[in-house]
Amino acid sequence: MNPETHLKTKVLIVGKGVSGLILCYLLEKKGIECILLNKEVNTSATILAETIPPSTLSLLKNIDLLNLFEECASKTYGYQSIWNNIFHSEDFFKHNPFKYGLKLNKRKIISELEKKVKSRIINYNQLKNITSTTTSVSLNKTTYSIHSELIIDATGRNRAVLNFFKIPIVSYDNNIAFICYLPKTKESLKYGFFTETFENGWGTISDLNETTRIMTLYSSKNNNFHKKLKSFSNWHEILFNTQILKKHLLTGDFKVTGRLANSSIPQKIVGDNWLSIGDAAMAFDPISSHGISNAIFCASKASESIDNLITKNNATSFNKYQETINAVFNEYYNVKEKLYA
């Protein structure tokens, strides 16, 4: 039997996405001991073209990460869309103090954030057990038993920690996304991003790099139409009546990848000794384009709540965090329903 390695920390963060890494970085700055667990996976994650608006830049500046994000992104100055044949154009020049947003290289951001907290990261293969104060994980031939005062779920929509605690998840829709990488056509995108509705769904086209664009079509699992989106050979017919999206399609056979894109939130976002952040705390339909902004916001608010609990013994800090997350989700959902209407 392999020996067990015992570790002890104040905060154990499970999940090495943007929210988990930023939380680890912020806690380290506050002098709060933490360990971040990263699940080793063989498959590479889908590369998405993700953008953050000017309002998020102010938050990044407040947590001293604006320079890092700007070094891993290009500036963007707005977005355009067509909803029910009505054209909309929104530029960022009216925003203050930042008059631009950022189109992110997410892999580069994660890589740079990793460098800042490298000494805190432990890779693991499988979570064996999680309780409110103890976590055991296996790493190759070594078994770790990690004792922590607090456990943070930063595992995104997987919600690995919440699953151990059997926390029910409330899903508000059954939206699903179908993603395809396409070579750039001669058609230009003013802001590198465009959204357009079509019958039974909506789609986006976005610049990914100098040679590639990513097209994503969204629909609902509530009807059988979404099955047609699985095959690229159907996309020309589906987008025939669109004004912009159809211009970026090419002939040929391109791989389409499906993934969940629903709005969901746990019945409980916090517990006595645990807390969830990022998509684990509230997952947005991509219609809002706020996934990364959500990760940054949750990590920032969670770091404040953890600091208040550990250093100031403020027993209400987690409840206030949950109230904040619930309020943000409700505001998002109201806007989402108006867009779909």
Side-chain angles (χ1 to χ4, degrees):
M1 180 176 289
N2 296 318
E4 188 173 273
T5 301
H6 296 276
L7 299 175
K8 191 173 183 180
T9 187
K10 288 282 187 182
V11 181
L12 179 65
I13 304 167
V14 184
K16 197 197 66 174
V18 173
S19 61
L21 286 165
I22 290 180
L23 178 59
C24 187
Y25 164 79
L26 294 176
L27 293 180
E28 193 169 47
K29 283 186 66 175
K30 295 176 184 294
I32 298 174
E33 186 181 31
C34 59
I35 291 174
L36 189 151
L37 296 182
N38 169 48
K39 185 174 184 179
E40 294 181 323
V41 293
N42 295 324
T43 57
S44 58
T46 304
I47 305 173
L48 300 178
E50 302 194 53
T51 302
I52 54 176
S55 56
T56 303
L57 303 189
S58 296
L59 177 57
L60 285 171
K61 184 177 181 180
N62 290 340
I63 61 176
D64 198 27
L65 284 175
L66 179 58
N67 288 341
L68 183 147
F69 270 70
E70 288 192 328
E71 290 169 1
C72 302
S74 58
K75 290 183 178 180
T76 182
Y77 298 95
Y79 59 85
Q80 295 177 315
S81 61
I82 294 177
W83 292 95
N84 296 326
N85 296 317
I86 301 174
F87 179 83
H88 302 270
S89 185
E90 171 74 18
D91 67 59
F92 293 148
F93 297 110
K94 63 184 179 182
H95 293 268
N96 287 305
F98 299 97
K99 300 182 182 299
Y100 60 91
L102 295 178
K103 184 176 283 289
L104 307 175
N105 181 332
K106 188 175 176 181
R107 284 189 174 178
K108 187 175 180 181
I109 287 170
I110 288 177
S111 176
E112 293 303 311
L113 287 171
E114 279 184 53
K115 293 176 184 178
K116 289 187 171 293
V117 296
K118 186 176 181 180
S119 62
R120 303 288 183 180
I121 299 174
I122 294 178
N123 294 323
Y124 73 93
N125 297 320
Q126 183 180 4
L127 289 173
K128 286 186 175 180
N129 182 50
I130 299 177
T131 67
S132 60
T133 57
T134 305
T135 298
S136 296
V137 301
S138 63
L139 169 61
N140 297 326
K141 296 182 179 180
T142 304
T143 298
Y144 285 87
S145 176
I146 305 174
H147 298 267
S148 65
E149 294 182 15
L150 301 173
I151 299 175
I152 311 301
D153 192 336
T155 61
R157 293 176 184 267
N158 292 328
R159 296 180 167 118
V161 175
L162 297 181
N163 287 338
F164 271 102
F165 295 155
K166 302 187 185 308
I167 304 298
I169 307 301
V170 181
S171 182
Y172 287 83
D173 50 58
N174 287 304
N175 293 339
I176 189 169
F178 294 89
I179 302 163
C180 184
Y181 299 102
L182 297 170
K184 278 189 176 181
T185 64
K186 293 181 180 180
E187 295 291 331
S188 63
L189 290 170
K190 181 178 180 180
Y191 296 124
F193 182 84
F194 204 99
T195 302
E196 187 172 5
T197 54
F198 56 88
E199 188 176 0
N200 294 311
W202 58 282
T204 61
I205 182 73
S206 180
D207 291 336
L208 189 62
N209 51 45
E210 290 79 8
T211 60
T212 306
R213 287 186 174 130
I214 179 170
M215 183 177 285
T216 307
L217 303 186
Y218 301 87
S219 189
S220 172
K221 294 176 72 175
N222 292 339
N223 58 60
N224 289 326
F225 172 78
H226 77 274
K227 295 179 180 178
K228 295 183 66 175
L229 297 177
K230 295 179 181 180
S231 175
F232 184 78
S233 61
N234 296 324
W235 284 25
H236 286 270
E237 175 189 353
I238 292 168
L239 300 178
F240 181 78
N241 291 321
T242 60
Q243 297 181 43
I244 302 300
L245 293 181
K246 67 180 180 182
K247 295 180 180 180
H248 297 275
L249 291 175
L250 291 90
T251 56
D253 188 20
F254 295 91
K255 181 181 178 182
V256 175
T257 303
R259 60 183 290 173
L260 198 63
N262 67 329
S263 308
S264 62
I265 190 169
Q267 280 190 0
K268 289 181 64 179
I269 296 169
V270 304
D272 291 337
N273 299 310
W274 61 268
L275 178 149
S276 54
I277 61 175
D279 281 352
M282 52 177 172
F284 292 163
D285 177 333
I287 197 171
S288 69
S289 300
H290 287 165
I292 297 295
S293 296
N294 171 40
I296 299 166
F297 175 79
C298 285
S300 175
K301 291 299 180 182
S303 70
E304 294 172 3
S305 295
I306 293 168
D307 185 34
N308 285 333
L309 180 65
I310 290 178
T311 64
K312 301 174 184 176
N313 200 28
N314 184 345
T316 66
S317 64
F318 273 25
N319 289 333
K320 289 181 179 178
Y321 171 80
Q322 176 157 298
E323 290 172 2
T324 299
I325 298 303
N326 280 328
V328 170
F329 185 85
N330 289 336
E331 180 181 353
Y332 143 77
Y333 195 74
N334 289 333
V335 172
K336 168 187 175 293
E337 288 300 285
K338 290 178 181 178
L339 286 173
Y340 275 112

